[in-house]
Amino acid sequence: AAKAYGRGRAQLFNPTLDAEARTLAQLLADLRQALVRGEFVAHYQPRVNAGDGRITSAEALIRWHHPQRGLLFPDAFIAVAESYGLIAPIGRWILDAACQQMAQWRREGIDIARVSVNVSAVQFESGELVGQVQNALERHAVPPATLELEITESLLVDENDALFAQLTALRDMGVTLALDDFGTGYSSMAALRKLPIDVMKIDRSFVIDLETDASALPAVRAIVALAQASHLHLVAEGVETETQARMLRELGCHELQGYLYSRPVEPSKFLQLPGLRHGAPAA
Ligand code: C2E
Ligand code: MG
Ligand code: MG
Ligand code: MG
């Protein structure tokens, strides 16, 4: 009988889909409230120098204190925010939070070169990103060189002039650009060579396999060679063991990031991490 209604009609009576639609609608309503009520927080994960283990920078990672569901991680809401027009205000929030944090670290004399913020492809579509970055930097009076933006390879799939212009504008401003999750996407050598990026982050999946899967080692070697040929600073993410750290250091990674050093933590805990240098406030 359902068939008689046609495909579209039949779906209206599908209780599972109905529940999913309600869940989605609720999530979207909650997300809008989250911005108004200030329920987002930024946690920070250190990145360390592969040579001496000192903390060089921090990646800002968004979390959401949901009033009913507790602490939510980005996989629970970022993709939905991207699909339903909410990533722009969320992106603006985290940029502002990270710049504010950087300003505070500088006032406190925390010797940290950069804070990095993840930027989704959708944020480039609106054309507002460059202005948002400029505003955040100015509002908190932090030098552009202390901000790094992490973009993913998926952004590069449909290469276009508008995107290239924005990346160039950010670079010209003095902001550092990093290619996140490298190795999981499809960026061509050609794209890599043309792009105004400074940093490449090897995806965690390669790091996980280093100790166990014989094919991971040549893959990482190839990535290292690619980064060197492109004059990119190389960071490995998802480092969990000393063995992985040693292998990556010997392979030629410049910086390491992962649970071995710290999980992403709230700012008060970040201050207590070993490997963080405390000195005089920045001028
Ligand atoms: P990402 O940018 O690749 O961030 C690294 C993710 O790996 C983080 O997950 C981090 O907690 C996790 N991680 C770091 N070290 C280790 C490790 O040693 N082992 C394991 N198992 N995991 C590790 P998180 O915070 O859940 O973020 C997931 C993704 O969500 C991020 O991946 C990023 O793509 C996205 N994301 C996070 N914050 C933001 C944001 O503010 N804006 C946007 N657009 N995306 C964000
Ligand atoms: Mg990242
Ligand atoms: Mg990553
Ligand atoms: Mg990512």
Side-chain angles (χ1 to χ4, degrees):
K3 253 191 182 149
Y5 290 100
R7 280 189 76 110
R9 273 308 277 285
Q11 286 183 355
L12 286 177
F13 301 104
N14 183 324
T16 315
L17 281 182
D18 192 44
E20 274 174 25
R22 274 172 212 252
T23 307
L24 176 60
Q26 185 65 55
L27 181 61
L28 289 170
D30 290 352
L31 271 173
R32 291 194 187 89
Q33 283 300 311
L35 280 159
V36 179
R37 294 189 192 145
E39 293 167 358
F40 291 116
V41 290
H43 282 187
Y44 295 88
Q45 186 180 36
R47 215 155 92 181
V48 310
N49 182 298
D52 61 17
R54 283 210 300 232
I55 294 175
T56 54
S57 56
E59 178 172 3
L61 294 155
I62 198 167
R63 273 91 180 91
W64 177 10
H65 281 290
H66 190 284
Q68 284 87 38
R69 298 166 63 195
L71 189 68
L72 297 185
F73 288 80
D75 60 348
F77 60 91
I78 287 291
V80 167
E82 286 173 348
S83 302
Y84 293 87
L86 288 171
I87 198 66
I90 294 175
R92 193 181 321 120
W93 181 85
I94 188 95
L95 266 173
D96 194 76
C99 288
Q100 183 177 34
Q101 185 61 65
M102 191 64 196
Q104 190 178 332
W105 281 333
R106 287 166 60 82
R107 280 195 303 274
E108 291 170 345
I110 302 302
D111 186 5
I112 195 166
R114 261 184 293 279
V115 67
S116 66
V117 174
N118 293 282
V119 176
S120 83
V122 184
Q123 288 177 266
F124 284 92
E125 286 165 18
S126 69
E128 289 168 18
L129 182 65
V130 177
Q132 284 184 5
V133 170
Q134 186 102 53
N135 285 342
L137 291 170
E138 283 170 7
R139 191 174 313 120
H140 300 290
V142 293
T146 63
L147 179 66
E148 181 174 304
L149 299 180
E150 300 192 4
I151 62 173
T152 55
E153 280 177 288
S154 58
L155 194 66
L156 314 177
V157 172
D158 48 7
E159 262 180 81
N160 62 70
D161 293 347
L163 169 68
F164 191 81
Q166 291 176 71
L167 292 175
T168 305
L170 291 165
R171 232 292 189 81
D172 289 348
M173 209 188 279
V175 170
T176 304
L177 297 178
L179 199 52
D180 202 359
D181 306 337
F182 187 79
T184 58
Y186 312 89
S187 37
S188 66
M189 295 283 274
L192 259 190
R193 227 161 38 78
K194 273 186 286 172
L195 274 174
I197 53 168
D198 316 274
V199 177
M200 183 189 272
K201 298 185 78 175
I202 305 182
D203 190 65
R204 187 163 73 85
S205 55
F206 294 95
V207 176
I208 295 173
D209 289 348
L210 262 186
E211 288 174 81
T212 52
D213 181 347
S215 72
L217 190 61
V220 174
R221 276 213 186 94
I223 293 175
V224 171
L226 188 57
Q228 284 171 348
S230 315
H231 304 288
L232 296 172
H233 191 78
L234 191 59
V235 181
E237 53 182 14
V239 181
E240 294 187 1
T241 71
E242 293 286 359
T243 307
Q244 290 166 349
R246 182 177 44 73
M247 292 175 85
L248 290 161
R249 188 181 308 121
E250 286 169 5
L251 283 162
C253 285
H254 303 107
E255 288 179 60
L256 307 174
Q257 178 179 353
Y259 292 173
L260 176 62
Y261 307 100
S262 171
R263 290 182 178 252
V265 291
E266 49 192 80
S268 62
K269 289 209 180 116
F270 192 89
L271 279 183
Q272 288 153 22
L273 291 174
L276 192 63
R277 286 192 300 172
H278 302 251

